[in-house]
Amino acid sequence: MEITLTLNGKKLTRMVEADTVLLDFLRKEGCYSVKRGCDTTNCGLCTVFMDNKPVLSCAILAARAAGHSIVTMEGMQQEAAEFGAFIADQGAEQCGFCNPGMIMNAIALLRENSEPTEEEIKEFLAGNLCRCSGYEGQLRGIQNFIAWKKAQAQA
């Protein structure tokens, strides 16, 4: 079947099989930040934005993305790099495998709530699997990023 969607700001029309998962479609299009970790919607590694909302691309058929706007980390390099530096500063990117999903979800959180509490951050990121860290570094990185953004806004 033929689908048309916008991927990282570019309109695409492609042929896909009816059972093609969005995750596989995106990787075929060169979006390697989108990763397969569990195929059960439990790890967050495949998080992308669909119409500016975070979704798990392993749980959506590519055909369901037709007519929608999909953004991966490749489509938001500057914002992701800016935020990712705060995660790296806390040593929370040990192997880096979980970083794209973690960053996408943290950015989604901050777009919805620019001043989340520690508990709100933990709740929002609960679906992100990281096997290297105890999540404290990511939490500190997010909190430091929020403080930096606040200082930037006041300057």
Side-chain angles (χ1 to χ4, degrees):
M1 80 178 50
E2 184 177 273
I3 63 168
T4 300
L5 57 83
T6 302
L7 176 59
N8 296 326
K10 296 179 183 173
K11 193 168 193 169
L12 298 177
T13 300
R14 298 286 189 268
M15 293 298 293
V16 297
E17 296 296 321
D19 63 348
T20 301
V21 176
L22 181 58
L23 164 66
D24 295 328
F25 174 84
L26 295 171
R27 289 190 61 84
K28 189 173 182 180
E29 290 297 322
C31 299
Y32 299 118
S33 69
V34 184
K35 298 177 182 169
R36 172 172 275 109
C38 68
D39 278 331
T40 59
T41 68
N42 289 311
C43 70
L45 295 175
C46 66
T47 302
V48 299
F49 290 151
M50 179 183 280
D51 300 331
N52 295 314
K53 298 288 183 199
V55 298
L56 298 171
S57 63
C58 75
I60 297 174
L61 293 174
R64 290 204 52 214
H68 294 278
S69 173
I70 305 296
V71 178
T72 67
M73 192 175 301
E74 286 83 359
M76 51 191 306
Q77 287 289 316
Q78 184 175 346
E79 188 175 10
E82 184 179 79
F83 175 76
F86 284 84
I87 299 293
D89 184 55
Q90 294 300 314
E93 36 60 295
Q94 294 173 25
C95 82
F97 194 69
C98 71
N99 278 359
M102 187 76 67
I103 290 171
M104 293 295 284
N105 278 298
I107 289 171
L109 164 65
L110 297 175
R111 286 180 177 180
E112 288 181 25
N113 180 357
S114 62
E115 294 188 41
T117 65
E118 183 173 318
E119 192 58 36
E120 289 170 326
I121 295 170
K122 288 178 179 179
E123 285 176 25
F124 205 89
L125 299 180
N128 291 275
L129 179 64
C130 176
R131 294 189 171 138
C132 297
S133 76
Y135 300 97
E136 290 301 314
Q138 285 98 338
L139 179 61
R140 285 190 309 271
I142 292 167
Q143 290 169 325
N144 290 345
F145 180 74
I146 291 167
W148 177 75
K149 289 294 264 188
K150 190 183 288 187
Q152 292 281 358
Q154 293 172 352

